[in-house]
Amino acid sequence: MFLNLSERFESIFKGLKQTGSIDEKSFDEAMRDIRRALLEADVALPVAKEFINHIRQESIGKEVLRSITPAQMITKIVSDELIKILGGSMSDLQIDENKSNYYLFAGLQGSGKTTTVAKIANYLKNKKNKSVLTVSLDINRPAAFDQLKKLSDDIGISILPKVENQMPIDISKRAIEFAKLNNIDCILLDTAGRTNIDDALMNELSQLEKEISPTETLLVLDSLTGQEAVNVVKDFSNKIKLSGSIITRVDGDARGGAALSMKYITDCPIKFMGVGEHIDDLEIFHPERIANRILGMGDIVSLVEKASENIDEQDAERMATKLQKGEFDLDDLLSQIRQMKKMGGLSSIMKFIPGLKNLENKISQNDSAENSIMKQEAIILSMTKYERSKPKIINGSRKKRIATGSGTKVSDINRVLKQHKKMTDMMKKFSKNGMGSMSPDQLSGQFGNMIPSDIFKK
Ligand SMILES: Nc1nc2c(ncn2[C@@H]2O[C@H](COP(=O)(O)OP(=O)(O)O)[C@@H](O)[C@H]2O)c(=O)[nH]1
Ligand SMILES: [Mg+2]
């Protein structure tokens, strides 16, 4: 995600640092490099132009050329500009507490509308405690209703039942009645896909908008649309009034140009990003955090939030007590491994950690990291309770038994033990004040320690 751009910025800033003082020529060069990097990331041309213009203006205003650490100054200006272009501050879904809220989802066919409707339905139900109804207005594809029904069933959300041969506008009228009768807070309407801009379908969308008066009309856009995003947005916003957008398939796009262009070309905020096919693969769009990710500062805040969402509080307390007593044993390592699996595996965590982000690709390509984690789990599970609590007693013959039991080699057992030792040593350092005293860097180091070092060799 944003990997290419991130790499480019890293080398541009490195170059600036090396020049020490920055003259007009090296400044111009940096601006040209940034512009090229943006365009290669598929950022829309007018957006890239405006970006550079702002940086220029800001830089002149702040006398970058004469400041003491010009590279830092430019980094800061670029970072601010990046945040601005991504939308400034986070913009949550609007929800009126006093009435039923209607959300109309529009977008090209295959952009991820149906999947996103289900993801957001799940988000509203679980995070916002709302009653939710999904509605399929896609009568063009026979399987469209079934797809949304399956997704809704899976997350325990009702879908408006199907009535054969009903037109979208009539379905939406039925949805409104149903919502009133059943006191539904949020109604999510999935519309028909458009492979390209088709007048009949566009008019249908505009009619629906009038009928429903949605709280929000959201444009769903595939991240891989790239430069073409400008035209897609224009076509839709000529017909309907968009209130926000959602970028999908960000997980498969190393460039991220669409995300960078969307706010500028729609003039409305990006609300969410889809980062995978699974129902939980939805992230609230935080411009500041995304900018930090792009500029290679990692995204510790997201990581910490993600961790605290998944951590069982009792578990955490138990762990804290053990840490204070310096009693972190292999059972605790096991629960940390499981914790990590719950958080979506190693590769989903790595992208948040500064310094590890660049390894994300290498890891996901050979999967050896995830395998290695599974192996660690199998090894610990093959140990007796006593061995887990007193790793020191694990001698040669015990190692052989464990290796056979877990289908691994003695060298694998040694690696887990070494890993555990490394972690205990580090934990001891923080045991005085508990984990809460760890800085983001230390925290990321803690996760880093769980990653077997041998997987980075390739
Ligand atoms: N990798 C990935 N796939 C996605 C994401 N969102 C949707 N998809 C996939 O994209 C395909 C099309 O999605 P669908 O919701 O049916 O698109 P629609 O035609 O706009 O309703 C499906 O295979 C989804 O699983 C995402 O954020 N990441
Ligand atoms: Mg669909």
Side-chain angles (χ1 to χ4, degrees):
M1 193 176 357
F2 304 115
L3 199 63
N4 296 4
L5 201 54
S6 189
E7 278 167 6
R8 291 293 297 270
F9 273 121
E10 201 179 314
S11 84
I12 293 167
F13 291 137
K14 212 160 140 196
L16 278 176
K17 260 182 224 152
Q18 277 161 0
T19 26
S21 71
I22 296 177
D23 57 16
E24 226 157 297
K25 188 165 153 276
S26 52
F27 181 80
D28 282 344
E29 256 168 38
M31 291 307 111
R32 214 186 46 222
D33 287 347
I34 291 177
R35 186 185 143 105
R36 202 179 293 150
L38 291 172
L39 292 179
E40 275 168 23
D42 243 344
V43 172
L45 183 63
V47 181
K49 269 189 184 160
E50 169 133 338
F51 191 91
I52 298 295
N53 282 344
H54 280 170
I55 292 175
R56 243 179 225 293
Q57 280 162 15
E58 283 291 306
S59 303
I60 292 165
K62 298 211 168 101
E63 296 200 50
V64 165
L65 303 186
R66 266 184 274 153
S67 80
I68 310 158
T69 53
Q72 277 174 356
M73 189 67 144
I74 293 181
T75 311
K76 173 78 173 75
I77 292 171
V78 170
S79 165
D80 287 349
E81 194 57 36
L82 213 46
I83 294 170
K84 211 158 81 191
I85 213 122
L86 289 165
S89 56
M90 188 270 273
S91 168
D92 205 351
L93 215 52
Q94 289 175 52
I95 305 175
D96 188 331
E97 301 293 338
N98 304 313
K99 58 167 199 169
S100 294
N101 294 271
Y102 293 83
Y103 303 91
L104 191 61
F105 290 76
L108 295 181
Q109 185 165 344
S111 58
K113 286 182 300 299
T114 307
T115 314
T116 305
V117 165
K119 286 177 179 174
I120 293 182
N122 193 46
Y123 165 82
L124 287 168
K125 179 187 172 207
N126 294 328
K127 297 274 156 65
K128 302 277 180 188
N129 283 319
K130 298 292 173 201
S131 54
V132 184
L133 176 77
T134 59
V135 180
S136 176
L137 300 176
D138 184 354
I139 56 166
N140 294 11
R141 278 201 291 185
F145 174 85
D146 299 334
Q147 185 194 358
L148 187 60
K149 177 162 177 14
K150 163 105 187 37
L151 290 167
S152 304
D153 286 351
D154 286 351
I155 50 176
I157 277 171
S158 354
I159 181 167
L160 186 77
K162 189 171 178 172
V163 171
E164 288 302 330
N165 301 324
Q166 208 166 34
M167 296 302 285
I169 201 82
D170 297 317
I171 303 175
S172 71
K173 283 180 183 156
R174 195 153 53 83
I176 294 171
E177 273 168 38
F178 186 98
K180 272 193 191 137
L181 230 82
N182 295 283
N183 239 333
I184 310 256
D185 301 323
C186 300
I187 302 94
L188 276 54
L189 304 121
D190 183 19
T191 63
R194 285 129 174 89
T195 39
N196 51 17
I197 309 308
D198 157 325
D199 277 347
L201 282 170
M202 278 300 185
N203 288 334
E204 178 185 297
L205 211 46
S206 145
Q207 265 185 325
L208 282 170
E209 187 188 33
K210 285 197 191 91
E211 179 65 37
I212 298 163
S213 337
T215 311
E216 293 227 35
T217 300
L218 300 156
L219 181 69
V220 179
L221 190 97
D222 181 347
S223 181
L224 302 164
T225 316
Q227 291 278 349
E228 181 56 20
V230 182
N231 295 327
V232 176
V233 169
K234 264 192 204 143
D235 288 329
F236 278 94
S237 51
N238 279 342
K239 277 289 179 190
I240 49 175
K241 190 174 178 325
L242 301 173
S243 65
S245 65
I246 295 159
I247 316 253
T248 61
R249 291 218 188 84
V250 176
D251 51 308
D253 180 19
R255 296 171 303 174
L260 283 159
S261 313
M262 275 316 259
K263 166 68 177 52
Y264 181 88
I265 51 188
T266 57
D267 199 28
C268 57
I270 304 172
K271 305 231 158 174
F272 296 94
M273 334 189 255
V275 293
E277 295 191 52
H278 189 260
I279 195 84
D280 288 326
D281 293 332
L282 179 78
E283 285 182 22
I284 294 174
F285 194 86
H286 289 277
E288 210 163 309
R289 298 185 196 172
I290 305 277
N292 283 345
R293 261 191 229 179
I294 295 176
L295 293 179
M297 300 171 197
D299 190 352
I300 291 297
V301 187
S302 294
L303 175 67
V304 172
E305 269 180 14
K306 198 167 180 178
S308 56
E309 243 175 50
N310 285 286
I311 285 175
D312 177 325
E313 265 180 40
Q314 277 185 343
D315 223 38
E317 240 169 70
R318 200 176 55 84
M319 194 79 85
T321 325
K322 287 202 151 189
L323 282 173
Q324 273 158 10
K325 294 188 187 158
E327 288 174 0
F328 183 86
D329 64 17
L330 286 165
D331 263 327
D332 301 318
L333 180 61
L334 183 65
S335 79
Q336 289 247 334
I337 289 171
R338 295 195 159 151
Q339 185 80 46
M340 180 137 92
K341 271 169 63 180
K342 253 208 263 178
M343 285 166 68
L346 191 57
S347 47
S348 83
I349 295 175
M350 301 229 337
K351 61 172 176 271
F352 294 109
I353 305 176
L356 289 186
K357 196 175 56 167
N358 296 343
L359 294 165
E360 190 193 344
N361 269 11
K362 283 181 206 150
I363 300 286
S364 48
Q365 270 158 21
N366 63 31
D367 271 350
S368 68
E370 308 285 354
N371 285 340
S372 175
I373 299 270
M374 304 279 270
K375 222 195 234 174
Q376 288 188 39
E377 190 180 5
I379 289 171
I380 299 174
L381 286 173
S382 291
M383 295 174 181
T384 63
K385 195 83 192 136
Y386 189 56
E387 285 165 345
R388 286 186 219 171
S389 63
K390 293 254 176 312
K392 279 199 184 112
I393 63 149
I394 303 178
N395 57 16
S397 66
R398 283 179 191 266
K399 280 179 192 169
K400 260 187 222 145
R401 194 205 76 240
I402 297 165
T404 318
S406 57
T408 56
K409 295 196 202 82
V410 169
S411 57
D412 293 321
I413 317 292
N414 286 333
R415 203 169 298 139
V416 172
L417 293 174
K418 212 168 104 192
Q419 188 86 23
H420 169 254
K421 171 113 186 21
K422 226 164 76 184
M423 281 183 88
T424 8
D425 290 348
M426 206 206 52
M427 299 261 180
K428 273 184 196 145
K429 283 191 206 150
F430 302 110
S431 60
K432 276 187 215 127
N433 310 315
M435 285 248 263
S437 70
M438 288 167 87
S439 73
D441 271 355
Q442 289 162 339
L443 190 64
S444 73
Q446 204 242 327
F447 280 101
N449 260 327
M450 293 191 57
I451 299 160
S453 50
D454 56 314
I455 57 171
F456 294 135
K457 278 183 195 148
K458 281 164 201 161

